């Protein structure tokens, strides 16, 4: 079947899916069935090729940062902005951008990919650049033990043709460099004084904080306080304000800076780079700020102990009404035992107003063990959200939620306030 015909069919399915309120990845799934090489052939002509961003935590916001930093350098960037990070999600995103003949008018593709699906992707389409963020005990029912997940990320790095950016402070990620040519690798890292704030998975479980400062990093997060962050870039110290919320996003900014520097090289305009970084806002659901009845409402995605821990540390619960929504659908991971590795002590003074989602009672039991007061437990997300809004009018609100719970909450909030539509 010709590419224009495949494109027309795909765009038709996409339009019908939107009208029916269907999932964003469905058109991509259809196109993959009728033309398995659709993605490969569409991306083949891009001047700067393909960038793959993967890892356990922070993929979506880091991808958004990289896209906006590259656009600030004057490049036209294609990306899978929905955060649907399987190959069918990439195909669906392409259908929204290509012309009727299936041509993509862009300089580079920056793709967020799930660890396992990224391996399938790079086997067919070797990326020119890759960024490997971290590896955590996340969704073990899908990927197996943490060393297996690290092996998947190593395969992505080894398939990369130009530059690989690695996290110096995550031993499993840093060790990937041993499989690569030294000239192919750039690192991002932390000042030693910040290691306790951003523990690796082993640090989190063993309290074995150690630096890998013997490895030279291209960009180092030196310090941060409030909305200000200082990065050591090469031999220069640069301080900037950030609109990003969540301390985890500040470290991800160092990763994004390192990748863009590796891609652009000597022609990069560093002043524009920092200006672009200062204007980046969180990706949807990742510290996203909405306004409801004149009060802020924040959505914080949580999916593993480290992410939940850093989320709780990032946001002061004082004066906020808190809701937690936990699902165990495939995209969330079925195994919710990780909730027992999260310290919820910061919520002790304020308590939690509402708990919802498929695993609401599991979450409630976990909080009871930390002696956190709970006002309501309601598994039905729509009802729980309505109660949360109704019973906390006039108060700022914050919702910690797993991925599918976040999508459902955003859909319901879209009926009562302005929510950015992600296509």
């Amino acid at each position: 079947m010709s590419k224009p015909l495949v494109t027309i069919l795909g765009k038709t399915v996409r339009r019908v899916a939107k009208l029916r309120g269907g999932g964003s990845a469905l058109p991509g799934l259809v196109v993959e069935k009728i033309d398995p090489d659709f993605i490969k052939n569409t991306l083949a002509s891009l001047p700067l090729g393909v960038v793959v961003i993967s890892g356990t935590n922070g993929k979506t916001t880091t991808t958004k940062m990289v896209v906006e930093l590259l656009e600030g350098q004057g490049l036209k960037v294609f990306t899978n902005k929905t955060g649907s990070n399987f190959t069918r999600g990439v195909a669906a995103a392409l259908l929204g951008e290509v012309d009727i003949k299936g041509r993509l008018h862009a300089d580079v593709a920056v793709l967020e990919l799930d660890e396992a699906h990224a391996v399938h992707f790079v086997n067919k389409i070797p990326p020119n650049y890759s960024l490997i963020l971290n590896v955590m005990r996340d969704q073990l029912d899908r990927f197996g033990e943490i060393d297996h997940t690290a092996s998947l990320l190593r395969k992505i790095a080894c398939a990369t043709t130009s530059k690989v950016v690695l996290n110096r402070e995550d031993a499993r990620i840093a060790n990937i460099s041993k499989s690569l040519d030294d000239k192919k690798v750039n690192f991002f890292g932390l000042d030693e004084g910040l290691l306790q704030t951003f523990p690796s998975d082993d640090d989190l479980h063993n309290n074995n904080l150690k630096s890998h400062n013997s490895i030279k990093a291209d960009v180092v997060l030196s310090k941060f306080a409030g909305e200000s962050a200082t990065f050591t870039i090469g031999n220069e110290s640069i301080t900037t304000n950030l609109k990003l919320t969540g301390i985890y996003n500040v470290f991800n900014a160092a990763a994004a800076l390192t990748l863009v520097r590796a891609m652009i090289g000597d022609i990069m305009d560093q002043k524009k780079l920092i200006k672009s970084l200062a204007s980046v806002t969180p990706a949807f659901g990742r510290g996203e700020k909405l306004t409801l009845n004149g009060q802020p409402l924040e959505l914080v995605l949580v999916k593993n102990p480290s992410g939940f821990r850093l989320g709780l540390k990032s946001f002061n619960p004082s004066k906020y009404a808190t809701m937690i929504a936990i699902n165990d659908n495939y995209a969330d991971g079925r195994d919710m035992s990780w909730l027992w590795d999260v310290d919820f002590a910061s919520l002790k003074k304020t308590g939690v107003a509402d708990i919802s989602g498929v695993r609401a009672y599991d979450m409630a039991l976990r909080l009871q063990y930390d002696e956190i007061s709970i006002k309501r437990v309601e598994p039905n997300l729509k009802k729980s959200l309505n109660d949360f809004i109704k019973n906390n009018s006039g108060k700022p609100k914050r919702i910690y939620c797993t991925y599918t719970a976040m999508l459902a909450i955003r859909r319901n909030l879209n009926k009562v306030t302005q929510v950015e539509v992600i296509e």
Side-chain angles (χ1 to χ4, degrees):
M1 189 178 295
S2 69
K3 190 172 183 182
L5 183 54
V6 171
T7 303
I8 291 169
L9 286 172
K11 283 181 173 288
T12 301
V13 173
R14 185 174 184 270
R15 181 177 292 274
V16 171
K18 280 187 67 177
L19 290 173
R20 292 173 60 91
S24 61
L26 175 63
L29 183 61
V30 172
V31 165
E32 282 189 317
K33 292 291 185 183
I34 59 178
D35 182 4
D37 291 325
F38 174 74
I39 298 175
K40 180 179 180 180
N41 293 336
T42 305
L43 299 180
S45 63
L46 299 181
L48 283 177
V50 175
V51 180
V52 167
I53 297 175
S54 196
T56 306
N57 281 349
K59 293 186 292 293
T60 300
T61 298
T62 305
T63 299
K64 185 174 186 287
M65 275 191 267
V66 170
V67 169
E68 294 187 28
L69 293 180
L70 289 172
E71 289 176 340
Q73 298 293 311
L75 297 175
K76 184 171 176 55
V77 184
F78 163 75
T79 189
N80 51 332
K81 67 174 66 175
T82 65
S84 179
N85 52 35
F86 300 165
T87 54
R88 60 181 177 267
V90 176
L94 279 170
L95 287 170
E97 297 292 329
V98 296
D99 63 22
I100 203 67
K101 293 184 179 179
R103 294 174 301 197
L104 178 64
H105 302 283
D107 297 305
V108 63
V110 179
L111 305 176
E112 168 198 348
L113 289 174
D114 169 282
E115 296 96 312
H117 287 77
V119 173
H120 297 298
F121 180 91
V122 302
N123 284 339
K124 292 183 66 175
I125 309 169
N128 300 72
Y129 304 90
S130 62
L131 167 58
I132 312 298
L133 291 166
N134 44 53
V135 58
M136 298 281 182
R137 287 175 170 83
D138 175 38
Q139 302 186 8
L140 298 184
D141 49 307
R142 286 174 58 196
F143 297 146
E145 258 302 332
I146 189 169
D147 288 325
H148 172 61
T149 306
S151 73
L152 297 177
L153 295 170
R154 183 183 299 274
K155 290 176 182 178
I156 299 168
C158 290
T160 303
T161 60
S162 183
K163 280 283 189 178
V164 178
V165 174
L166 301 174
N167 181 352
R168 182 182 72 179
E169 313 308 345
D170 187 315
R172 287 181 176 83
I173 300 304
N175 283 339
I176 290 174
S177 64
K178 295 177 181 177
S179 301
L180 306 170
D181 185 319
D182 289 345
K183 295 179 181 178
K184 192 177 179 179
V185 182
N186 285 13
F187 289 93
F188 66 97
L190 291 167
D191 181 88
E192 193 163 358
L194 294 177
L195 291 174
Q196 190 169 1
T197 304
F198 301 92
S200 69
D201 193 86
D202 288 334
D203 297 334
L204 186 66
H205 289 83
N206 302 325
N207 296 317
N208 182 27
L209 297 173
K210 56 184 179 181
S211 173
H212 299 89
N213 283 336
S214 59
I215 301 173
K216 182 174 175 55
D218 184 57
V219 178
V220 172
L221 174 60
S222 303
K223 59 183 178 180
F224 69 93
E227 298 177 349
S228 175
T230 300
F231 301 92
T232 302
I233 302 177
N235 296 316
E236 185 179 0
S237 181
I238 295 175
T239 299
T240 182
N241 285 334
L242 300 174
K243 291 183 179 178
L244 293 165
T245 54
I247 59 176
Y248 40 84
N249 285 331
V250 184
F251 188 27
N252 292 338
L257 289 169
T258 306
L259 175 60
V260 173
R261 281 168 54 82
M263 292 175 63
I264 304 297
D266 293 339
I267 64 171
M268 187 192 68
D269 186 324
Q270 185 151 292
K271 287 185 178 180
K272 286 184 178 179
L273 187 73
I274 301 304
K275 183 179 179 181
S276 297
L277 180 64
S279 66
V280 178
T281 55
F284 75 100
R286 279 77 171 176
E288 179 181 20
K289 290 185 178 181
L290 307 175
T291 301
L292 180 63
N293 300 326
Q295 294 290 338
L297 187 153
E298 298 174 351
L299 298 177
V300 183
L301 177 69
V302 295
K303 59 175 186 168
N304 55 39
S306 176
F308 211 152
R309 172 187 173 279
L310 288 174
L312 291 167
K313 191 171 183 178
S314 296
F315 302 102
N316 186 343
S318 176
K319 299 180 181 178
Y320 272 73
T322 299
M323 175 177 172
I324 302 176
I326 305 294
N327 278 353
D328 66 350
N329 297 316
Y330 176 75
D332 307 297
R334 303 287 191 186
D335 182 1
M336 289 291 122
S337 62
W338 61 264
L339 291 171
W340 292 88
D341 289 332
V342 182
D343 181 0
F344 293 96
S346 64
L347 298 175
K348 200 159 189 176
K349 288 184 179 180
T350 60
V352 174
D354 291 85
I355 298 176
S356 188
V358 178
R359 301 296 285 269
Y361 289 106
D362 297 78
M363 186 69 249
L365 178 64
R366 173 68 192 91
L367 291 181
Q368 285 181 347
Y369 270 79
D370 273 6
E371 299 181 337
I372 310 297
S373 64
I374 305 164
K375 289 185 179 178
R376 289 170 293 275
V377 180
E378 169 54 65
N380 183 287
L381 267 173
K382 183 177 180 180
K383 185 177 187 309
S384 183
L385 179 63
N386 289 340
D387 289 344
F388 179 61
I389 293 171
K390 178 182 177 182
N391 293 316
N392 295 284
S393 60
K395 254 186 122 172
K397 302 169 187 63
R398 184 175 295 122
I399 305 175
Y400 294 95
C401 42
T402 57
Y403 183 71
T404 65
M406 180 263 290
L407 295 180
I409 288 168
R410 289 181 95 257
R411 283 195 299 270
N412 282 288
L413 286 173
N414 194 39
K415 300 172 185 176
V416 292
T417 189
Q418 185 175 351
V419 178
E420 181 186 4
V421 177
I422 307 294
E423 296 185 358

